DNA sequence: AAAATGTCTACTAATTCTGTATACTTTATA
DNA sequence: TATAAAGTATACAGAATTAGTAGACATTTT
């Protein structure tokens, strides 16, 4: 399951992406328009900032803006940052690998093999989907 | 993430599938050979039994055996039974649908749209993979 | 009768996820 | 220069989920 945290992060990036190279936005505004608990959102935006996605400015009139081009931010990046592994099995995760402790022989595990395929398929879709795509898609769907 | 429960269920089905229409196996044996906590496994096998996958016999010399053909049991069935939804978003789940409470308009949600694709790709792989496939795959991998 | 097995339900422990609280720093501006 | 409006940082708390344990019971074989 996608965590709320990740979902909120994506929504916030969409909101910021819509104003890319235009205005900056403050946390309260995003929290209200996207129905995200403000304090929780603070943490999330902070992480995104520390990871280099966002620029922030303190003080009156301050706020957040997107540093990277929305076309350059895909969902794999966001998910790994806020939600951890993409893979459904730790022994198949590229960035958060962990051996299964009850596993006899990793190399002959059929479950592992199958979930590698699932991981690859998921990774393909999510890495090909950018914040810019989501913005465009939502505009299109809203028609 | 795949729950331990689901993973244990799959492993147990593989163990039983290897003896399909041959011997029956008791819980303790599976628990030991697959390194699964016995009491936990009891619950899992019971669920599989109640769902019609297994036949069981009580008493001395009793045990479990597979009722369905391993070729007829795919991973989607097992996962839905023991782990719940396959989809990573509740609003995209076929069998466990739930609306997202912070969602403004489901029909124009780009996240939803993307995770529908992920669900479909996952579903395809998992529905095409049967217990028999896993058994064959493990034999092959073991060389 | 005794031992070996599965059945059933309730409980507990551990972990993870969500969200809150609080104190602090920086900036604009009146 | 004081004040208010922002973001920064860390710690904590509550809720939900997952994992695992306990114990009494039912059935079957020997």
């Amino acid at each position: 399951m996608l965590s709320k945290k990740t979902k909120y992060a994506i929504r916030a990036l969409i909101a910021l992406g819509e104003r890319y190279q235009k205005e900056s936005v403050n946390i309260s505004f995003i929290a209200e328009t996207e129905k995200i608990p403000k304090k929780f959102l603070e943490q999330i935006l902070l992480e995104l900032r520390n990871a280099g996605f966002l620029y922030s400015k303190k003080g009156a009139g301050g706020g957040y803006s997107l540093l990277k081009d929305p076309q350059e931010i895909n969902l794999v990046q966001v998910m790994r940052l806020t939600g951890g592994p993409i893979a459904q099995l730790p022994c198949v995760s590229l960035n958060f690998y962990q051996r299964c402790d009850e596993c006899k022989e990793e190399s002959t595990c059929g479950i592992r093999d199958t979930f590698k395929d699932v991981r690859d398929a998921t990774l393909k879709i999510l890495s090909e989907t950018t914040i810019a795509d989501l913005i465009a898609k939502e505009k299109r769907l809203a028609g």
Side-chain angles (χ1 to χ4, degrees), chain A:
Chain A
M1 275 288 168
L2 201 67
S3 67
K4 296 249 181 186
K5 190 174 170 189
T6 300
K7 209 168 151 200
Y8 292 160
I10 298 171
R11 288 247 72 90
L13 287 169
I14 290 175
L16 290 163
E18 283 169 342
R19 294 161 185 86
Y20 180 55
Q21 293 180 335
K22 295 175 196 157
E23 328 89 70
S24 74
V25 189
N26 65 45
I27 297 177
S28 300
F29 178 81
I30 301 178
E32 278 161 34
T33 55
E34 304 294 338
K35 290 200 238 168
I36 302 171
K38 189 184 164 197
K39 281 305 217 174
F40 196 15
L41 182 59
E42 279 184 12
Q43 293 175 29
I44 295 166
L45 292 180
L46 198 56
E47 270 186 68
L48 289 170
R49 186 204 104 107
N50 290 337
F53 290 92
L54 306 181
Y55 166 83
S56 66
K57 198 179 164 198
K58 286 183 181 180
Y64 277 101
S65 51
L66 202 53
L67 257 187
K68 298 198 184 186
D69 189 323
Q71 292 189 40
E72 302 297 321
I73 305 174
N74 68 45
L75 294 189
V76 169
Q77 296 170 279
V78 182
M79 286 185 68
R80 287 205 175 121
L81 189 68
T82 59
I86 309 264
Q88 298 203 41
L89 273 182
C91 66
V92 135
S93 173
L94 294 171
N95 288 257
F96 300 84
Y97 171 86
Q98 258 187 299
R99 204 175 191 293
C100 303
D101 28 271
E102 80 283 2
C103 189
K104 282 179 281 193
E105 250 303 307
E106 202 169 79
S107 61
T108 62
C109 178
I111 302 179
R112 176 176 153 86
D113 214 59
T114 302
F115 279 87
K116 235 188 233 173
D117 292 344
V118 172
R119 176 204 69 195
D120 288 338
T122 304
L123 224 39
K124 182 169 192 323
I125 294 167
L126 295 179
S127 66
E128 285 173 353
T129 305
T130 68
I131 295 299
D133 291 332
L134 293 183
I135 293 170
K137 184 173 277 183
E138 300 207 337
K139 275 207 186 97
R140 190 161 5 97
L141 288 172

